[in-house]
Amino acid sequence: MTALSKLSTLPACSEIALAHSQKLQSVIRDEIESAGGWISFSRYMDKVLYHPGLGYYSGGATKLGGSGDFVTAPEISALYGRTLARQVRQIAEHVSKHTGFADMLEFGAGSGKLALDLLQELEQLDALPQYYYILEVSAQLRKRQQKLLAEQASHLMARVVWLDRLPDRYYGTVLANEVIDAMPVHLVEWRSNEVFERGVAWNDHEQNGGFVWENRPIENEALKFHAKLLSARMNPDQDPAFNYVSEVNLAARYFMRSLAGMLEQGAAILIDYGFGSGEYYHPQRSQGTLMCHYRHHAHPDPFFLPGLQDITSHVDFSALTEIAEETELSLMGYTTQAHFLLNCGVTEILARIPVEDVQNYLPTANQLQKLVSPAEMGELFKVIAFGRNIAQPLVGFVSGDKSRML
């Protein structure tokens, strides 16, 4: 099936949703014209995902769950958050010995389901954080989080604080579940011995007009630096027909530096799909990892219905580790989601449900299968942790560590 025919099979949107998308498209087209006819893909991705009131994450459409565009691990099962709580407790116990308290900070809390499951399990473990901070850029998702927590954990609401910026100093656990994959990325294209930044232009000659790809020489100094490093690895001069497109996530690097700047003691746990750089920039991955999600359909066209679909790229975990080393954060472990959950005792949590209770046990066991199966989320999703002033090994990485792949 061609890309064009695949798009023709995607579910149709309502007239209201289409008008919403067209409004955002007009905003981006005007910005392209103001910028001289071209913007970086990073700028385009930032607009379609985060433009106030119109972007995918700031508009009012449902993103998560069966009625949305994709399903995350916390939406699949409460096992996920309840298992993560075991790792959070270990970090909190270590930090509290020195400070008398430990906090929790979650980036991009989605529907609030992960926060709810974590808080409820931490309460059972007698390990509630002093505060559970949530840094959420989407006003619509923030309201959804507040509603869910108020309805299902009202007695814990005094501990939950929504932030607009990072704290200056932080002690405890930082959690980012499927956050980095949604950070805007730059696209770089190698053609034989030349390298370009792939950006976005507007073509009035397309039917009804439309966004198109257009390459420009790289002007961003940080991007130029990383593209040069990648060029040395790829050695495109050896092949006159060499053609390769991939992503460079500068935003993720800035994110890591921000984490390092605030973390006084504790650990950051980052969970996402991705690879180490050797696999990320493998010769066979010549079209990069960019992917779009619309109504539970995955496809490669980021120009399809701007503002109504998610756009993601896989995470280069080696790049995050390099920044951690530069900022004196310690790599605490890197493994698959399956190994991490099993190390933290997910099967013990499942065992709370008697096998004889078929009505509850079987659905939960099926949920666990989705979380840990190599054919589902178990191998594709990775968990990486960086810490400061944490002396003991983290329980989530006691077996199956894959740090050698970074």
Side-chain angles (χ1 to χ4, degrees), residues 15-289:
E15 291 185 9
I16 293 176
L18 181 60
H20 177 101
S21 178
Q22 290 172 338
K23 187 175 181 180
L24 177 58
Q25 180 175 274
S26 179
V27 168
I28 300 173
R29 182 188 63 204
D30 290 345
E31 177 164 334
I32 289 173
E33 292 177 356
S34 298
W38 183 93
I39 59 174
S40 68
F41 180 75
S42 176
R43 183 61 179 166
Y44 173 84
M45 186 171 170
D46 180 67
K47 283 288 186 181
V48 298
L49 295 183
Y50 303 108
H51 188 280
L54 294 175
Y56 180 76
Y57 284 105
S58 55
T62 300
K63 286 89 180 164
L64 306 166
S67 60
D69 299 298
F70 55 90
V71 177
T72 62
E75 305 293 327
I76 290 174
S77 178
L79 287 172
Y80 187 75
R82 293 186 179 278
T83 304
L84 268 172
R86 305 299 183 89
Q87 181 61 87
V88 174
R89 177 181 62 174
Q90 183 197 15
I91 297 167
E93 288 176 347
H94 186 85
V95 171
S96 297
K97 289 178 182 178
H98 300 84
T99 63
F101 71 94
D103 292 322
M104 179 82 202
L105 169 58
E106 183 182 358
F107 284 89
S111 68
K113 181 66 164 55
L114 181 54
L116 175 65
D117 293 336
L118 274 167
L119 283 167
Q120 290 179 334
E121 184 68 15
L122 288 169
E123 183 178 30
Q124 286 194 28
L125 296 172
D126 193 26
L128 281 169
Q130 175 184 241
Y131 291 108
Y132 193 109
Y133 294 110
I134 296 176
L135 201 157
E136 178 59 67
V137 299
S138 168
Q140 183 263 337
L141 287 175
R142 181 183 290 205
K143 289 179 181 178
R144 186 174 173 184
Q145 296 155 14
Q146 292 169 340
K147 183 175 185 293
L148 178 70
L149 292 169
E151 289 176 348
Q152 300 196 31
S154 59
H155 64 294
L156 298 176
M157 283 295 286
R159 295 179 184 267
V160 187
V161 179
W162 279 264
L163 302 177
D164 296 314
R165 58 182 292 274
L166 289 176
D168 295 327
R169 292 185 174 184
Y170 183 78
Y171 302 83
T173 304
V174 178
L175 178 62
N177 182 67
E178 289 198 58
V179 170
I180 297 176
D181 67 88
M183 292 182 179
V185 294
H186 290 268
L187 294 182
V188 178
E189 181 169 355
W190 287 262
R191 289 185 180 178
S192 186
N193 61 350
E194 294 184 287
V195 59
F196 304 92
E197 180 170 9
R198 173 179 277 196
V200 181
W202 179 265
N203 187 350
D204 283 319
H205 300 296
E206 294 280 319
Q207 183 179 4
N208 299 321
F211 296 117
V212 293
W213 295 113
E214 184 175 305
N215 287 349
R216 294 278 181 94
I218 300 177
E219 295 184 356
N220 182 304
E221 290 300 323
L223 182 61
K224 190 180 297 185
F225 172 78
H226 290 291
K228 185 176 181 180
L229 292 179
L230 290 172
S231 295
R233 171 186 295 170
M234 295 175 182
N235 201 15
D237 295 346
Q238 302 300 313
D239 182 4
F242 185 83
N243 185 248
Y244 194 95
V245 178
S246 196
E247 309 86 22
V248 174
N249 194 334
L250 297 180
R253 291 169 165 86
Y254 302 145
F255 173 75
M256 282 297 301
R257 292 189 185 280
S258 297
L259 283 185
M262 74 168 188
L263 188 61
E264 295 287 333
Q265 186 178 24
I269 302 172
L270 314 178
I271 308 170
D272 231 311
Y273 43 88
F275 319 100
S277 59
E279 189 174 356
Y280 195 103
Y281 297 106
H282 191 279
Q284 293 182 349
R285 193 166 280 110
S286 61
Q287 295 304 305
T289 70

Side-chain angles (χ1 to χ4, degrees), residues 386-402:
F386 302 102
R388 177 167 284 140
N389 297 321
I390 297 287
Q392 64 189 116
L394 298 185
V395 65
F397 304 95
V398 293
S399 69
D401 188 76
K402 293 185 178 296

